[in-house]
Amino acid sequence: MEYLPDSNARYKDVDYWDERYRTEESFEWFGDFTKFEHLLKQHVGTEENILMLGCGNSALSYDMYQAGYTSITNVDYSSVCVESMAERHKDCAQLSWLCMDARRLAFPDGAFDVVLEKGTLDAMLVEETDPWKVSEEAAQLLHQVLLEADSMLTPESVNYSFLQADEEWVAEVSRVLKPGGRFISVTFAQPHFRKRLYARAKYDWSIKHYHYGSSFHYFLYVLTKGEELSPEDAALEKRLLEETEASPTDVKFQEVDSEDFLNNIGL
């Protein structure tokens, strides 16, 4: 394939994306807007203020604009992508484009009703090979996106075997959400894997999930700020706290040189 990198690790490299975005018109991970529009309409109002996290060259924001959504701020860490998309959609006043690292969002508290990501976190976790145990490096990367450094954390307060962090992190995505705001994550990751990353009382959100697709299911997670975890998800968090050693299994996935790489990891 034209844009296939020599290693899946390059999907985390901004230089790779800059080079790709110079010539690639558009690419959609996990299907286009029409595939999950019926789910999004249940949780996102057309007048709400939306942040698109890691927008890439996806047509999602424009398709939502065409469907009546009136305020979408798009961020991506590739300046090539942002410049190209801003030029392409310069006549769409409701769409704005900013070059920004998802780990350091330059927005005030409570700026958005909705934060939406489609495949962004999956790309960040591309080098993970064990679906049950996230590496320390990947866990800290994920928590930089969802969390912002605040104060010191003792081993007694959080004892996840896959999150041996030195700092307590205050929810970053949650920070930019208004009370009652929703973090919407579109991914191939099944609930028994992805909920292991999302089920945290400190994030101050509840978790709901839906699926779409026919031959292969994709998932849409809705995390609502200010709502408690369900008893099931709270029990999951408690169980994870008790898992201080090895993961339940040592399943590994072989890296494959395919643009469909995201389907080959279970996070």
Side-chain angles (χ1 to χ4, degrees), residues 64-111:
M64 291 177 64
Y65 163 75
Q66 291 286 84
Y69 291 87
T70 58
S71 177
I72 306 177
T73 300
N74 299 273
V75 301
D76 198 281
Y77 75 159
S78 168
S79 59
V80 174
C81 169
V82 169
E83 291 168 9
S84 173
M85 295 297 279
E87 175 62 24
R88 186 182 309 175
H89 302 295
K90 60 185 178 182
D91 295 329
C92 304
Q94 293 90 339
L95 304 180
S96 61
W97 309 86
L98 299 170
C99 186
M100 192 178 299
D101 191 326
R103 295 167 295 180
R104 292 177 288 275
L105 297 176
F107 300 110
D109 296 356

Side-chain angles (χ1 to χ4, degrees), residues 1 4 11 29-30 218 256-264:
M1 296 178 65
L4 186 67
Y11 284 108
W29 306 106
F30 317 138
Y218 300 110
V256 294
D257 287 329
S258 165
E259 188 74 331
D260 201 28
F261 75 93
L262 292 177
N263 294 334
N264 293 281

Side-chain angles (χ1 to χ4, degrees), residues 142-157:
L142 177 69
H143 288 272
Q144 276 186 284
V145 176
L146 300 181
L147 309 171
E148 185 175 281
D150 183 34
S151 58
M152 296 306 294
L153 176 70
T154 65
E156 292 76 20
S157 61

